[in-house]
Amino acid sequence: MTNQTSLHLTNSIPVLSLRPLSLIGLAVGVFGCALGLLEFLAPVLANYPSSLGTPTPEFNHAAPEWQRVLVGVGHLLKSLAFLSVLYGVFFAGTRKGRLLWLAMAAATAGALWYGVYWVWMTNTGHFSFAFVAGGLWYQWVAPLALGIGVLRAKKLAKGLGLLLITTGLINSFIVVFGAAGGQIVQGTLWFFIGWTIYRVARKA
């Protein structure tokens, strides 16, 4: 008879490991919304565009230095935390095919680029949309690929796969919500991903 501690969804990821990953997802969602709310109340960015074709915004130099540092480090922590959640879904909810391995490798490089570039920008005060080159892979492509992988593997809830696909699609045009709104929308999506994984872990 199999007890709960030995129950596995795959050969490598135990069911119990999904629970801390779900809590990371919930936490990073709340943290993302908090950073968006802070940006709304006390903007760090000035003249943030509604599309990538408009002039590049600048950092609001009237904002306190601690706030700029928080934004930079916050983006780094968010990217790494969400990446860990994506890896949990990858191992526990997909068949781990070659294309998904490539997507996760690109997502890892993208998350590191995105986070480190934000730290660099907030330390130098020079804004550039080059960080999008990283966000493309771990915010757009990886959630889409994993969502499809979850639906095909049928190991985790179908709703999680659909939510991941929705997250990837919305992240592809997240800039239209602005600096504050985009973070709040993104944080909300990540929170629901964490909550869905938590429910899956409880049922398992």
Side-chain angles (χ1 to χ4, degrees):
M1 183 175 180
T2 304
N3 59 35
Q4 188 179 16
T5 57
S6 62
L7 183 62
H8 285 63
L9 289 177
T10 69
N11 293 329
S12 55
I13 298 296
V15 169
L16 293 181
S17 69
L18 286 177
R19 192 162 294 176
L21 285 172
S22 70
L23 296 178
I24 292 175
L26 291 169
V28 75
V30 172
F31 184 61
C33 289
L35 284 179
L37 182 61
L38 179 63
E39 177 67 28
F40 178 77
L41 296 175
V44 171
L45 291 173
N47 304 317
Y48 196 82
S50 58
S51 72
L52 299 183
T54 54
T56 301
E58 298 177 351
F59 283 102
N60 178 13
H61 295 290
E65 185 176 354
W66 66 265
Q67 189 178 351
R68 275 192 13 208
V69 172
L70 176 63
V71 168
V73 174
H75 277 288
L76 175 61
L77 294 177
K78 281 199 311 179
S79 61
L80 295 179
F82 186 60
L83 181 67
S84 70
V85 174
L86 293 180
Y87 266 104
V89 174
F90 170 70
F91 281 112
T94 73
R95 296 172 183 168
K96 301 180 287 296
R98 291 183 179 179
L99 290 178
L100 277 181
W101 272 110
L102 289 174
M104 292 306 299
T108 302
L112 290 171
W113 171 264
Y114 180 96
V116 171
Y117 203 85
W118 263 101
V119 171
W120 176 82
M121 287 194 302
T122 51
N123 275 282
T124 61
H126 300 295
F127 187 91
S128 168
F129 274 116
F131 70 90
V132 174
L136 165 68
W137 296 104
Y138 92 95
Q139 295 179 6
W140 310 356
V141 176
L144 277 170
L146 287 175
I148 295 172
V150 167
L151 293 179
R152 293 186 62 185
K154 299 179 181 180
K155 294 181 179 181
L156 298 179
K158 180 180 178 180
L160 177 60
L162 295 175
L163 183 56
L164 285 165
I165 292 173
T166 301
T167 298
L169 292 174
I170 292 179
N171 275 328
S172 67
F173 57 88
I174 199 74
V175 68
V176 303
F177 296 104
Q183 292 184 82
I184 294 173
V185 170
Q186 189 177 69
T188 301
L189 290 169
W190 290 3
F191 180 87
F192 280 116
I193 289 174
W195 175 250
T196 304
I197 295 174
Y198 180 78
R199 293 190 64 184
V200 169
R202 286 192 62 186
K203 290 180 180 178

